[in-house]
Amino acid sequence: MKRWVSGRFDRYMNTLKIKKKLFLLYFYCVMLPLVLTDTIILYLLIQNEYNEKQEILKSAVNATEYTINSAMEEAVILSKNIYFNKYINEFLNTKFQSNLEYYNRYQDLLRDSLFDTSLGTSNTKITIYANNEGIVNGGRFWKTESVEQQWWYQHFVQSGLQMRMYFYYDDSKVQEIEPVRKASFVRKLDRYKRDEYEKFLKIDLDYTAINERMTVARYGCDVYVCADDGRILFSNTGKGNMLSPYSYISSIGYKKGEYMKQINIYGQTIQIYAIPYTITFLQILKRHLPFLILLIGVNVVIPWFFVQLLRRNFVDRLDILSKTFVCGTKGELKAVPESEIHGMDEIAALMRNYNIMVQRVNRLIETVYKSKLKEQEMNIARQKAELLALHEQINPHFLFNVLENIRMRSVLKQEYETAEMIEQLSLMQRQYVEWGTDMVAVQEEIKFVEAYLKLQKYRFGDRLSYDIQVEESCREYRIPKLSLVTFVENACVHGVEDKAVRSWVFVKVYQRNQEFHMEIEDTGGGMSQERVCNIYEKMKHANIEMLKGHGRVGIVNACLRLKMQTNQQVRFEIESEKGLGTVILISAPIHYFDMEGNDVKGTYSG
């Protein structure tokens, strides 16, 4: 087997010119490996860009988390100072008899308890609420009834939590001139369980300061801090204006490669999104342009330069020898000029030996009759014709052998999917080449249909599914070769290809009431009624003249051969609806498809 394949290959290579052989040598032994290597290098560059981008995203998320946590912890520490301040607690538990008494006790609290010192120097707004009726609303102390109708208060009471973080848009205008976004930390002041009054603390963080810290930070990507319902709380993209209502992350849109981390801050779940800046493939190439230019120069230009030098060394001298041979066909052989013979390699030796032969042959030519020479020319022409005929026979078999070798190599490398594709392609190619008869059994045609659909399955992936059903009684019936697969091909090309969602191709072969039926259905893009009518007319009136025209003639060819087989008794039906699919039904009396299987049954007159 090895010797047979080697002989076939040698005979094929002997038909090629040296220039083409050198090109094949350069392509397969130099260019192709280099392209594969450079592709891997380029892939690694892109992968490295992606990894660097992911690291940037992770760093941005971690930095943002630190910023948020820092602001939260400041509020927690501040709340602890107030929580453990006994002077504040005693003040809130006092039953004030008048507003004047409240004012005096308030001034004493500020003077004697270091109240402001316990609150720190933060820019946050602190408000303490209690259900003490003696409190006068204003400053840092308010009655609970002033916020009982606000949703955050109601939610805090219902939650039963000790501490809770809220992010909301305050449009109540109770304490603000304009509605603003709020980041509020709420905590119960219940250190002393026997207190008569219920008290709680609300700390409004400096929303603008948090957002500005994110804005000035150079993360290298877009960062969004979002609530669990998709509201954008903070961002470094200008989406955090505290005077504007919240935007939503869904309106921004997600991008491939984003990084998200979810954290919980005192009962409030938030997500931090880091979305990379858009970078195109061309930008990546531009960034690595010097390296790529060096890579191309080393891997392509330099090898090509040396191949050109080698080509000149071989081809130019062989051209001189070839031209000398051509001149010698005019009746007298001419020697190669000595000035053209250089070097000591095989080509130079061939030229010198040729010159010796020329001297001998020229003497013999004088003794040969012109008629003998003419006879020899005729014999050479006949031999060339025989060689061309043999060449036409060799090419298909060589192709099949090469495909089989590639398939076996893929199997050895465990690339089973590639091996199966090559096997199906080889099967289809044999059907096209080996045209010994126009009639094949239905089961043979179905094998070809299945091979074609498998190849299309590799192309369309999950977009294509198919189902083939053949009644056992119909498997041995004879039909024109490639007739059924032509309609299946049309279903894939004009049906499945035009539809972006998953599509099916159904193939059914059966008999009913002494009628033989072939049905091809697809759930693809479908056709307009005008196109359906046009195709039906071509199928119904298929003739030889149509095959001479331009454009697609596959269906016309199949219909014409079916009409010839059935003596014009075949019937075609076609139904289609735009966006839903197409059904083609082919029917004829069953005796035209019996197992005797003559190449053509009946005659064609149209």
Side-chain angles (χ1 to χ4, degrees), residues 57 222-232 247-262 271-278:
L57 298 182
D222 293 338
V223 178
Y224 299 92
V225 179
C226 303
D228 52 5
D229 59 359
R231 289 175 296 130
I232 300 177
S247 301
Y248 287 83
I249 190 66
S250 59
S251 64
I252 304 301
Y254 300 101
K255 299 179 181 179
K256 184 177 181 182
E258 70 174 14
Y259 181 78
M260 188 273 285
K261 184 175 183 180
Q262 181 170 291
Q271 293 89 27
I272 304 177
Y273 291 89
I275 301 178
Y277 298 143
T278 302

Side-chain angles (χ1 to χ4, degrees), residues 42-212:
L42 187 59
Y43 169 77
L44 294 176
L45 287 176
I46 296 175
Q47 188 65 30
N48 184 59
E49 289 281 346
Y50 175 79
N51 293 335
E52 289 181 358
K53 188 185 298 181
Q54 287 297 306
E55 289 299 322
I56 292 174
L57 298 182
K58 291 179 182 179
S59 299
V61 168
N62 292 333
T64 303
E65 181 183 7
Y66 177 79
T67 299
I68 300 297
N69 285 332
S70 296
M72 299 302 112
E73 289 305 317
E74 289 178 7
V76 172
I77 294 173
L78 188 58
S79 71
K80 287 182 179 179
N81 293 336
I82 297 174
Y83 185 83
F84 290 103
N85 192 313
K86 67 178 182 178
Y87 300 104
I88 296 175
N89 186 68
E90 292 174 357
F91 174 77
L92 294 174
N93 288 327
T94 302
K95 293 184 178 181
F96 303 105
Q97 301 300 321
S98 64
N99 292 343
L100 178 60
E101 181 184 357
Y102 171 81
Y103 177 78
N104 291 331
R105 293 294 297 272
Y106 180 72
Q107 293 299 323
D108 292 339
L109 175 67
L110 297 179
R111 181 175 57 255
D112 299 334
S113 64
L114 300 177
F115 177 69
D116 289 333
T117 303
S118 66
L119 302 185
T121 59
S122 174
N123 292 327
T124 57
K125 180 180 179 181
I126 301 171
T127 309
I128 302 174
Y129 297 91
N131 57 356
N132 187 340
E133 293 297 330
I135 293 176
V136 178
N137 290 336
R140 300 186 188 276
F141 299 95
W142 289 71
K143 296 178 182 178
T144 303
E145 63 183 18
S146 64
V147 293
E148 286 179 344
Q149 302 302 318
Q150 295 193 25
W151 74 270
W152 60 266
Y153 171 78
Q154 296 175 1
H155 183 275
F156 181 69
V157 173
Q158 294 174 3
S159 68
L161 298 175
Q162 181 72 19
M163 295 178 285
R164 186 70 159 80
M165 190 71 206
Y166 290 99
F167 297 96
Y168 62 99
Y169 183 68
D170 186 4
D171 56 359
S172 63
K173 300 185 181 180
V174 174
Q175 303 178 43
E176 306 290 342
I177 299 176
E178 294 181 350
V180 294
R181 299 183 186 183
K182 292 290 184 67
S184 300
F185 178 77
V186 183
R187 179 173 184 169
K188 290 182 179 180
L189 300 179
D190 57 353
R191 181 187 180 193
Y192 304 97
K193 304 298 182 182
R194 296 180 181 180
D195 288 348
E196 179 179 354
Y197 301 112
E198 292 184 352
K199 307 173 287 295
F200 68 92
L201 168 68
K202 179 171 175 283
I203 301 177
D204 295 329
L205 280 70
D206 191 343
Y207 191 98
T208 302
I210 298 174
N211 206 69
E212 285 180 353

Side-chain angles (χ1 to χ4, degrees), residues 375-494:
E375 182 181 350
Q376 291 176 350
E377 291 175 351
M378 293 176 63
N379 289 335
I380 292 174
R382 177 177 56 80
Q383 292 174 3
K384 286 183 178 180
E386 291 175 353
L387 287 174
L388 287 175
L390 182 59
H391 176 70
E392 293 298 325
Q393 295 177 359
I394 290 173
N395 282 338
H397 295 288
F398 170 73
L399 176 60
F400 299 146
N401 292 332
V402 172
L403 289 175
E404 181 62 16
N405 286 338
I406 297 174
R407 187 186 73 84
M408 291 304 298
R409 184 174 291 273
S410 299
V411 170
L412 292 176
K413 292 184 177 181
Q414 298 184 355
E415 297 174 352
Y416 300 114
E417 185 177 357
T418 303
E420 186 178 359
M421 291 177 65
I422 295 172
E423 182 179 2
Q424 301 303 325
L425 177 61
S426 179
L427 175 62
M428 295 177 64
Q429 189 64 25
R430 286 186 182 275
Q431 288 289 91
Y432 280 118
V433 173
E434 296 175 2
W435 204 273
T437 176
D438 186 50
M439 305 299 295
V440 295
V442 169
Q443 60 185 3
E444 294 299 322
E445 181 74 1
I446 288 297
K447 290 181 181 179
F448 190 37
V449 169
E450 188 172 5
Y452 175 79
L453 288 172
K454 284 183 178 179
L455 284 177
Q456 291 294 349
K457 181 71 174 177
Y458 292 125
R459 173 188 176 190
F460 292 108
D462 292 337
R463 285 179 54 198
L464 172 64
S465 298
Y466 62 88
D467 182 55
I468 302 174
Q469 299 181 14
V470 182
E471 288 187 356
E472 287 297 325
S473 58
C474 298
R475 289 187 175 274
E476 296 299 327
Y477 289 139
R478 313 284 287 186
I479 61 175
K481 185 177 182 180
L482 303 180
S483 57
L484 184 57
V485 76
T486 299
F487 293 96
V488 173
E489 177 187 5
N490 196 66
C492 290
V493 174
H494 299 290

